[in-house]
Amino acid sequence: LTSEAAGYYKAAYAIVSLLSVPANPFILTTYPEINKLVVQKSWVRLKDFLKKITIVAAALNLALAAGFAIFGKWLLSIYGEQYTAAYPALLALLIGFTFNYTLFWNRPLLLSLGLPQFPLKATVAAGLAKLALAFPLVPRFGYIAEAALLSMYYITSVGAIVWRGVKEIRHQENLNR
């Protein structure tokens, strides 16, 4: 792609990655609680905790995403008026980043459950799919395709990790009945 396309992508990515700012304190503070509940085998409390932090994260991230969607062109124009062309990429990135930072607890959960290899496998598989799709799609559809592929990567990898964590919690609940 051209350096112009790279600049547009970088601008959209920089704005959307601001979603990580409020998410980082959540990540740091929830892991000890998740781990404590797993060690205690308190599966009902763990599910309740995950539900509550997901609701809080979803409310915060959806509000921020709405703000970025509404004011995205203006935010991009800070880089220069021509950067408003990156708005579709910003929207595409926003989908994946919002999903990722809403379910930020996915990896800490599996680490606490003693399944550290699953996130690696899920991210490698999603990364390989993203890479394979990049070759036919990015030359044809440009940086917007790259933004959509990154969102797809987040949704598939985080989605798989969350699915595996929920499955393991259910399995542990059934063992303890």
Side-chain angles (χ1 to χ4, degrees), residues 22-154:
N24 285 333
F26 277 120
I27 295 166
L28 296 173
T29 58
T30 56
Y31 176 70
E33 185 66 18
I34 290 169
N35 197 49
K36 180 181 91 173
L37 293 170
V38 168
V39 168
Q40 292 174 345
K41 298 182 188 298
S42 185
W43 308 117
V44 172
R45 285 182 49 216
L46 176 60
K47 288 191 308 187
D48 184 58
F49 179 69
L50 294 175
K51 185 183 202 180
K52 286 177 181 174
I53 61 175
T54 301
I55 290 169
V56 169
L60 176 62
N61 286 311
L62 290 171
L64 288 170
F68 287 159
I70 293 166
F71 299 109
K73 286 185 180 181
W74 176 79
L75 289 166
L76 287 164
S77 73
I78 292 170
Y79 290 96
E81 194 58 39
Q82 72 275 21
Y83 282 90
T84 59
Y87 185 70
L90 182 139
L91 293 177
L93 289 167
L94 209 48
I95 294 166
F97 274 67
T98 302
F99 187 83
N100 181 44
Y101 287 120
T102 297
L103 299 170
F104 65 90
W105 47 263
N106 64 86
R107 285 178 184 81
L109 175 63
L110 288 190
L111 288 174
S112 295
L113 291 169
L115 299 168
Q117 70 284 1
F118 190 86
L120 176 63
K121 291 175 184 176
T123 56
V124 166
L128 289 173
K130 178 186 176 295
L131 182 63
L133 290 170
F135 285 105
L137 296 178
V138 173
R140 184 169 180 183
F141 299 105
Y143 66 94
I144 296 170
E146 180 57 35
L149 287 170
L150 183 58
S151 278
M152 182 234 27
Y153 165 81
Y154 281 134

